[in-house]
Amino acid sequence: MNLLVELFVEELPPKALKKLGESFASVLADSLKAQGLAAVDAAVSSFASPRRLGVHVAGVATKAADKAVQQKLMPVAVALTADGQATPALLKKLAAIGAGPDVVPQLKRQPDGKAEALFWDSMVAGATLAQGLQKALDETLAKLPIPKVMTYQLADGWSDVKFVRPAHGIVALHGGDVVPVKALGLTSGRITKGHRFEATTPELSIDSADSYAAQLFEQGAVIASFAERRAEISRQLKGAADALSLTPIDDEALLDEVTALVERPNVLTCAFEAEFLAVPQECLILTMKANQKYFPLLDSHGKLTRHFLVVSNIAPADASAVVQGNERVVRPRLADAKFFFDQDRKKTLEDRLPGLAKVVYHGKLGSQGERAERVRAIAHAIVNQLSMATLPYTVEADDEFKVLDSKVKQAAQLAKCDLLTDMVGEFPELQGIMGGYYARHEGLRDGVAIAIEDHYKPRFAGDALPRNHTGTVVALADKLETLVGLFGVGQLPTGDKDPFALRRHALGVIRILVEKNLPLHLPALIDAAVPPFGELVTNPQDTRQTLLTFFADRLAVSLRDQGYGAQEVDAVLALNPTRLGDIPRRLEAVRAFAALAEAASLAAANKRVANILKKVEGELPTEVKPELLQEAAEQALAAAIAEVQPAADLLFEQHDYTGSLKALAALKAPVDAFFDDVMVNAEDPLLRANRLALLGRLHAAMNRVADLSRLAT
């Protein structure tokens, strides 16, 4: 028969409901499976609504099967006397496990390491469903991911209970029978409650485990399944939006939260006055989502319209009062946003610059004003590095490096000024975005406005990168200032704690350098970011090295997350490439090389060469003297290197890393022959030095793109 367990509680925290429901179902079901009361592949259904957590488990037994258990008692030398009689220690052990002296003849002697031990085979009775469910329920409640525990009194007025919210009932049904369990001061039964206002009866008596969801829906006006309720809201949102030829905003977190707020969703269409559309849409969308849990509607161009959708928890015959109530509630919020926007535009960003000096950034790193000056200096240094890069970096036709530098300095100086605006004070999530709007309002160059808006990008994994050169430089400078400054004063991430999101900042730098293929070198960028701090960074060299290690770790994790193999990543990063824009091409080259028939043999040979060269004492010989190449195999290898290396090097210089590595495939046969026929460590020191020099040349030729020895298994 199937089992249903429901815990009926007061309104649960909406942002935690999804995880609470998943945990309640999975932990309880796993415990029943572990006790042998349910099959390992038993179907499990989760229920989670604002006032209930539940689970339905298919095929639950009334009693678990008895189980044969072998228990180790103690070493034979301790358990038995010389003539084979039980020692007091053995008798005491048997008594402790509920057995008497009569079982001694049944004990088994089996090897246990270097000695023998006594083992007792017995049958353990399987748990009854009542016992097993009680254990499972206790485990489940103890493991719930409760964000904040509250303490409340039971009905007796004396006892206290700690739980996420006060609980009022437990339903536990095996088929149609109540399973007696207790928790949180409650005893199980079959009574629960439906929707506060729309249930057909104040209390519902659940007939059986399998009728639970249907009874709640039909009599209780509740969709108990979180997933089904979420899907129903999505369906209604789409239907209401389609009727207006509009699209609801895509926000999975908001959808989850609204699903956790309603038991019987009813989507209604509302609207606000068109005059509010003069306010930047990000402000209106944020206030509707964050404060009211509404779904704004967008037109086909992604522009906000005056229409929005409300997910109501009631479905009256005439919904006009609900619609009007929501429209009346949102109006003051939108009016506040319009007021903030209008007031903010009375001062320019530059007017706000002096105020940054009064805003503390960090106790050891000064004010936001000082920070802005550091970002400006770092951005200027980055422009200089771009202008002198060995690889060409083309900016817009009207954007020569002097012009770019001017834009970068202006954007860097003004980027933090919107922190002093009323709008960002109310909605911190809009920092940068509002700066861009205010810059455009003031008539600043569009490239500067875009850079101010984009300088926080990427804000999170998968976020877009800055859209123009100015924004790219300022975003890099801003992130490097944060990393160098906080690392310089010892504020490093530890374990899972990263209060300043330094891992995210590092990944942002990596993404910009890699995805925009910038001709910049990471160590040089860090070097440029240190001087503006002056004496604030007390040990620049330690800070530099720690940061480079931190970046290397973040880069390795990022590349593995993108699907590159650990060996591929290890091979490329082993060379410590400083220009991160090169790395994707190097990885693709390594992957292509690994697919060659010659790859395994060359990787193994490369590893062997590396091990030989590591053992060389003193300076490694570098000159290969043709007259000392005595063996045919070493002559052939020298000739092959002389033929292959120029082509491989040329392809490398052209950044055709795949072609460069593929050219090395021709070395397989001569390398194999060399190791088969030539003794590297010859007794003659001249021959030995010449052969080491030859291997050194081979090693250098093979490891320009990646350390191929890391591909050896």
Side-chain angles (χ1 to χ4, degrees):
M1 289 188 291
N2 300 332
L3 176 73
L4 181 282
V5 179
E6 181 209 69
L7 184 64
F8 184 77
V9 296
E10 293 184 14
E11 273 77 2
L12 292 159
K15 290 185 178 179
L17 180 62
K18 186 177 182 182
K19 287 186 177 179
L20 287 170
E22 292 169 350
S23 175
F24 187 88
S26 63
V27 175
L28 192 143
D30 287 348
S31 180
L32 294 176
K33 293 175 182 179
Q35 296 178 72
L37 288 164
V40 175
D41 59 350
V44 179
S45 300
S46 168
F47 302 104
S49 80
R51 298 199 294 162
R52 73 199 75 240
L53 300 173
V55 59
H56 180 278
V57 185
V60 175
T62 306
K63 180 180 179 296
D66 297 342
K67 186 165 58 176
V69 175
Q70 185 177 76
Q71 187 174 357
K72 176 186 172 183
L73 300 177
M74 60 182 62
V76 171
V78 178
L80 302 176
T81 62
D83 58 355
Q85 299 300 309
T87 63
L90 176 60
L91 296 175
K92 184 177 180 180
K93 177 68 174 178
L94 289 172
I97 60 175
D102 54 307
V103 304
V104 173
Q106 303 169 26
L107 301 180
K108 293 182 179 179
R109 296 170 64 141
Q110 293 180 191
D112 183 47
K114 295 182 179 180
E116 278 191 318
L118 286 184
F119 292 81
W120 182 38
D121 292 336
S122 61
M123 293 295 293
V124 175
T128 64
L129 178 55
Q131 295 169 335
L133 182 56
Q134 184 66 63
K135 179 182 178 183
L137 188 57
D138 292 342
E139 289 179 5
T140 299
L141 298 182
K143 293 180 179 179
L144 277 181
I146 297 174
K148 189 175 182 181
V149 175
M150 70 180 287
T151 302
Y152 61 94
Q153 279 190 333
L154 296 179
D156 61 14
W158 296 96
S159 307
D160 284 344
V161 172
K162 295 180 184 296
F163 196 53
V164 58
R165 292 290 186 271
H168 297 297
I170 300 174
V171 175
L173 296 176
H174 187 224
D177 300 327
V178 174
V179 183
V181 291
K182 294 184 177 181
L184 304 174
L186 303 167
T187 301
S188 60
R190 64 173 70 247
I191 303 299
T192 188
K193 294 183 179 181
H195 194 287
R196 282 190 186 276
F197 310 111
E198 303 204 349
T200 58
T201 176
E203 293 185 339
L204 280 73
S205 178
I206 304 301
D207 297 332
S208 71
D210 292 344
S211 69
Y212 170 76
Q215 282 188 260
L216 266 181
F217 181 73
E218 294 163 6
Q219 301 170 29
V222 172
I223 301 175
S225 165
F226 188 97
E228 290 178 13
R229 201 164 61 254
R230 190 179 193 274
E232 174 61 17
I233 293 173
S234 292
R235 186 191 67 78
Q236 290 190 35
L237 288 172
K238 185 178 185 305
D242 286 350
L244 296 171
S245 299
L246 299 174
T247 304
I249 196 160
D250 184 15
D251 190 321
E252 297 295 313
L254 177 62
L255 183 55
D256 283 343
E257 189 173 359
V258 170
T259 303
L261 287 168
V262 299
E263 292 185 310
R264 182 185 180 182
N266 178 34
V267 172
L268 302 171
T269 303
C270 306
F272 56 80
E273 289 78 0
E275 66 186 77
F276 291 121
L277 292 175
V279 179
Q281 70 177 44
E282 292 89 348
C283 309
L284 304 181
I285 289 171
L286 187 58
T287 192
M288 284 192 283
K289 285 168 43 179
N291 295 320
Q292 308 303 136
K293 315 305 175 190
Y294 296 158
F295 288 83
L297 290 175
L298 310 177
D299 65 18
S300 58
H301 302 291
K303 296 295 183 182
L304 181 68
T305 69
R306 57 187 293 266
H307 298 283
F308 61 94
L309 300 178
V310 174
V311 183
S312 174
N313 196 33
I314 56 175
D318 180 6
S320 59
V322 179
V323 170
Q324 291 168 12
N326 281 282
E327 291 176 343
R328 186 169 59 252
V329 166
V330 79
R331 194 172 294 117
R333 294 285 188 180
L334 302 183
D336 285 346
K338 186 175 186 303
F339 175 78
F340 293 148
F341 186 56
D342 291 340
Q343 289 298 111
D344 286 341
R345 289 182 295 171
K346 293 179 180 179
K347 289 178 69 175
T348 67
L349 293 174
E350 192 168 355
D351 289 341
R352 300 180 189 274
L353 265 175
L356 290 178
K358 302 174 184 177
V359 180
V360 175
Y361 165 52
H362 185 279
K364 296 181 179 180
L365 295 173
S367 68
Q368 287 286 3
E370 292 169 301
R371 182 188 184 195
E373 285 303 315
R374 291 194 294 266
V375 173
R376 186 182 183 189
I378 296 167
H380 171 65
I382 293 173
V383 173
N384 285 342
Q385 290 187 22
L386 285 171
S387 67
M388 296 185 292
T390 54
L391 290 175
Y393 181 71
T394 305
V395 295
E396 289 92 343
D398 62 342
D399 217 9
E400 296 177 354
F401 283 109
K402 285 185 179 180
V403 179
L404 176 62
D405 191 41
S406 170
K407 288 184 177 181
V408 161
K409 286 178 179 177
Q410 185 180 26
Q413 187 175 37
L414 301 178
K416 304 298 179 186
C417 289
D418 68 351
L419 297 177
L420 300 175
T421 63
D422 292 337
M423 188 70 82
V424 173
E426 180 71 14
F427 300 112
E429 303 94 329
L430 296 178
Q431 56 189 280
I433 294 171
M434 294 313 303
Y437 275 107
Y438 297 141
R440 290 188 189 91
H441 171 72
E442 295 167 25
L444 298 184
R445 289 173 288 187
D446 193 50
V448 172
I450 290 174
I452 291 173
E453 181 179 341
D454 286 0
H455 83 279
Y456 288 106
K457 293 181 179 179
R459 296 171 184 253
F460 50 85
D463 190 20
L465 298 183
R467 289 166 287 176
N468 64 10
H469 299 288
T470 308
T472 296
V473 172
V474 178
L476 273 177
D478 184 66
K479 290 168 176 55
L480 288 167
E481 191 278 339
T482 301
L483 289 160
V484 170
L486 291 168
F487 268 69
V489 296
Q491 299 285 339
L492 282 68
T494 55
D496 60 348
K497 295 181 180 179
D498 187 7
F500 298 102
L502 297 183
R503 294 186 180 96
R504 177 168 57 79
H505 280 82
L507 285 172
V509 172
I510 289 168
R511 279 194 60 201
I512 291 172
L513 293 176
V514 171
E515 294 178 31
K516 288 186 174 286
N517 192 22
L518 297 179
L520 297 170
H521 295 267
L522 184 59
L525 287 172
I526 295 173
D527 289 343
V530 171
F533 286 91
E535 295 181 357
L536 294 177
V537 174
T538 55
N539 198 326
Q541 284 306 313
D542 283 355
T543 298
R544 178 184 189 276
Q545 191 52 52
T546 306
L547 254 180
L548 284 172
T549 302
F550 182 70
F551 269 108
D553 292 341
R554 293 297 93 208
L555 179 59
V557 171
S558 173
L559 293 172
R560 288 195 292 268
D561 288 346
Q562 293 173 47
Y564 292 106
Q567 279 188 320
E568 296 169 341
V569 172
D570 192 27
V572 170
L573 298 190
L575 299 186
N576 295 316
T578 60
R579 201 177 82 78
L580 305 193
D582 260 353
I583 288 177
R585 286 198 298 275
R586 290 176 184 254
L587 284 165
E588 293 304 323
V590 168
R591 181 168 288 180
F593 174 79
L596 298 176
E598 300 87 350
S601 177
L602 284 173
N606 196 41
K607 186 174 184 179
R608 186 173 178 181
V609 170
N611 290 333
I612 291 171
L613 297 179
K614 282 178 187 175
K615 296 175 183 177
V616 175
E617 295 181 2
E619 192 172 344
L620 181 68
T622 57
E623 183 183 0
V624 178
K625 298 178 180 178
E627 66 272 15
L628 294 177
L629 298 172
Q630 295 186 350
E631 302 290 341
E634 61 183 327
Q635 293 170 358
L637 178 57
I641 294 173
E643 182 179 351
V644 168
Q645 188 171 10
D649 286 351
L650 178 61
L651 291 166
F652 179 87
E653 298 301 334
Q654 295 171 346
H655 304 285
D656 182 358
Y657 301 130
T658 300
S660 181
L661 283 184
K662 285 185 175 180
L664 299 176
L667 295 175
K668 177 187 180 301
V671 168
D672 289 346
F674 178 87
F675 282 116
D676 287 342
D677 301 340
V678 178
M679 174 69 68
V680 177
N681 290 319
E683 292 186 10
D684 185 333
L686 293 177
L687 286 180
R688 182 167 63 251
N690 203 54
R691 289 168 182 173
L692 288 172
L694 181 62
L695 290 183
R697 181 175 294 180
L698 173 66
H699 190 263
M702 293 182 67
N703 293 283
R704 296 196 70 184
V705 175
D707 182 352
L708 299 183
S709 68
R710 305 298 178 103
L711 301 178
T713 54

